[in-house]
Amino acid sequence: MPVRFYNSMTRTVEEFTPVQKGTAAMYTCGPTVYNFLHIGNLRTFLFEDLLHRWLRYRGYNVRQVMNLTDIDDKTIRDSRAQGMPLSEFTEIYKKAFFEDLKALNVAPAEVYPSATGHIPEMIGIIRTLIEKGYAYSTDDGVYFKISAFDGYGKLAHLDKDSLRAGASGRVANDEYEKETVSDFALWKKWSPSDGDVKWQSPWGEGRPGWHIECSAMSMKYLGETLDIHSGGIDNMFPHHENEIAQSEAATGKQFARYWLHSAHLIVEGEKMAKSKGNFFTLRDLLAKGYSARSIRYLLYTTHYRKPLNFTFDGIKGADAALKRIDDFLFTLGNIKSEGAEDAEFVRMLTTQTEKFEAALDEDLNIAEGMGALFELIRAVNEGMERVTKGFADRVLKFFGKADSVLGFLNFGKADDLTDEEHKMISERSDAKKGKDFARADELRKVLLDRGIEVRDTPDGTVWKRI
RNA sequence: GGGGAUGUAGCCAAGUGGUAAGGCCGGGGCCUGCAAAGCCUUCACCGAGGGUUCGAUUCCCUCCAUCCCCUCCA
């Protein structure tokens, strides 16, 4: 089964065929390191993690690049407000970014380049663009001339002649000295508000525009034509549109073959905004006692192209769902009975495995994939007394493979009880045999207070850390 | 003003031109010394109104609501 993705460029689901067979070169827009990651960021990064992991599951040699934007208006503004050198300021959030990804069990990208480490590459592209007549220099910067690039607007499906400058109300119309309002900055000449943030360039001291870093770094690490470029839907325009214009104008080649965009999330049915008090960073949620694992699960319950409604009830539901899976895996891990495998079980495992894989192949339909997993869980639970160790191992192996994509399953921990605790469990079993239920229940209570749940099963008494 | 999406049970969420997966919560039952886990069972007129069709939640139109973008917000 081929992997298929919805390509924002063509607005259709297409079979994925990379430039180089067996390899997937993907560029994923990373964070601007001026703050901690919020759950909206997480959704996009987790979508990209799923994309990465699924391609790997399907045997692709994945090469993912995720940039760190450590130079832009916001990083300059906030570092100056803190009275801190830019690099010192961004270092704090770079470090936090990697900590957050680790907490969420995000598979690392192969390369995490920083914008400030690639200024010469950016200058190189800008120079080419000027030479080819796609860019011009003014008193305050170098701009890309969108009227010179025919395909401008092809990704966002916008007509370049009807773009309304400042329609969003966020930018003053007269901010820059551009030929036309839609032209965007490739290089910004130094101004006092930049403080000591500046680099030398053929156009004087200054700093790169926002979009050019992605063109420079993606081409450096992945070549002039990449397979997949992804990011949040809000980056489609102008950011990705501008990247296409710069890159294709400079190289004359197609920049990216597939464009994947994730939808935003809302919180309790409302747009997430600091002013509404429903703005949460991962750190906020962890501080409230929610687990990164539950958050990961929750953010994976909705297809990436649909708006996700993040709710606190949802996190609780995620906890409960994960516990169900945990218990299932735990029970399977304790199966001891030997015997021939049930052919019907094996067939069902195959069916659900295929269903899971087909769902993910079809534009990463993880909700449907999880449905297959839960159907398998129920069916196995239903006939648990007939499950042999051999079959249990097979199912566990499948879940292990599935978790190489999901990243939120829990296969239990190694035996880490103290001798005393082991003794209490066996003492309880003896008490039960002697019908001394009061003593047995007392011991169970003591163990529970230590976070150890004791369960009596047909295969004997088992315990579980909770 | 222009462009793009979404609206399925208390909550989250798949999906299909032939009457709707899955998860969470709730009710009832079984199992268990008691639990835990599990199982069974129950819980939807698919935003509203038209249209096309033998038949629409699924296609078309209108409306309503929410979200995203229209130069630097994932």
Side-chain angles (χ1 to χ4, degrees), chain A residues 50-186:
Chain A
L50 177 64
L51 175 62
H52 181 142
R53 287 166 175 263
W54 186 250
L55 286 167
R56 200 170 59 190
Y57 183 102
R58 279 316 201 187
Y60 287 94
N61 174 21
V62 180
R63 187 162 166 78
Q64 180 189 359
V65 175
M66 180 176 276
N67 65 297
L68 302 175
T69 299
D70 58 354
I71 162 69
D72 81 320
D73 293 352
K74 295 187 293 289
T75 46
I76 291 174
R77 178 194 69 202
D78 292 357
S79 65
R80 295 194 82 202
Q82 301 273 313
M84 221 180 263
L86 180 68
S87 60
E88 192 179 310
F89 174 81
T90 57
E91 194 52 44
I92 295 169
Y93 295 105
K94 285 182 188 177
K95 189 160 170 281
F97 168 69
F98 288 115
E99 284 168 4
D100 287 354
L101 290 194
K102 192 168 181 213
L104 281 168
N105 194 24
V106 170
E110 280 61 39
V111 191
Y112 288 102
S114 285
T116 54
H118 297 77
I119 305 288
E121 287 88 340
M122 298 186 218
I123 289 174
I125 295 175
I126 297 169
R127 187 178 272 146
T128 302
L129 290 172
I130 291 176
E131 283 166 8
K132 290 191 171 185
Y134 287 107
Y136 58 91
S137 179
T138 72
D139 285 348
D140 69 353
V142 179
Y143 293 92
F144 186 89
K145 186 174 185 168
I146 68 163
S147 61
F149 184 73
D150 276 345
Y152 195 81
K154 64 184 177 184
L155 174 65
H157 293 211
L158 293 174
D159 176 4
K160 66 183 166 190
D161 295 326
S162 61
L163 292 174
R164 281 175 53 177
S168 65
R170 294 200 305 245
V171 175
N173 291 351
D174 57 355
E175 191 176 353
Y176 303 122
E177 299 169 13
K178 303 182 276 194
E179 285 181 4
T180 69
V181 286
S182 335
D183 286 354
F184 58 90
L186 295 166

Side-chain angles (χ1 to χ4, degrees), chain A residues 356-419:
Chain A
F356 174 79
E357 294 179 343
L360 272 295
D361 277 340
E362 189 65 11
D363 199 29
L364 305 175
N365 192 340
I366 193 167
E368 194 176 357
M370 286 305 296
L373 256 38
F374 278 111
E375 278 180 43
L376 176 62
I377 289 173
R378 189 178 39 70
V380 174
N381 270 331
E382 198 182 333
M384 192 61 86
E385 72 286 344
R386 287 180 287 123
V387 173
T388 58
K389 180 153 178 25
F391 181 68
D393 285 346
R394 259 196 210 234
V395 176
L396 285 170
K397 194 175 162 198
F398 167 60
F399 272 83
K401 198 176 173 202
D403 195 49
S404 72
V405 179
L406 305 174
F408 50 62
L409 299 185
N410 181 353
F411 293 86
K413 293 174 193 143
D415 189 330
D416 60 350
L417 294 192
T418 63
D419 289 344

Side-chain angles (χ1 to χ4, degrees), chain A residues 290-299 314-315 318-319 322 408:
Chain A
Y290 297 105
S291 75
R293 210 180 146 225
S294 303
I295 294 165
R296 183 176 171 99
Y297 177 91
L298 177 60
L299 293 177
I315 303 187
D319 269 334
L322 281 171
F408 50 62

Side-chain angles (χ1 to χ4, degrees), chain A residues 239-308:
Chain A
H239 186 51
H240 292 160
E241 194 70 57
N242 290 169
E243 282 184 54
I244 292 172
Q246 301 170 330
S247 307
E248 299 192 351
T251 67
K253 294 177 186 163
Q254 181 182 30
F255 178 50
R257 292 163 61 83
Y258 301 88
W259 288 89
L260 274 59
H261 292 100
S262 58
H264 278 202
L265 60 69
I266 54 179
V267 177
E268 305 285 355
E270 290 197 302
K271 178 180 179 169
M272 179 170 75
K274 281 180 181 161
S275 59
K276 284 186 179 169
N278 64 357
F279 183 95
F280 301 107
T281 64
L282 174 63
R283 283 153 198 256
D284 291 334
L285 296 175
L286 296 179
K288 284 173 185 283
Y290 297 105
S291 75
R293 210 180 146 225
S294 303
I295 294 165
R296 183 176 171 99
Y297 177 91
L298 177 60
L299 293 177
Y300 271 172
T301 53
T302 305
H303 183 85
Y304 76 89
R305 279 192 290 114
K306 286 185 81 172
L308 182 155

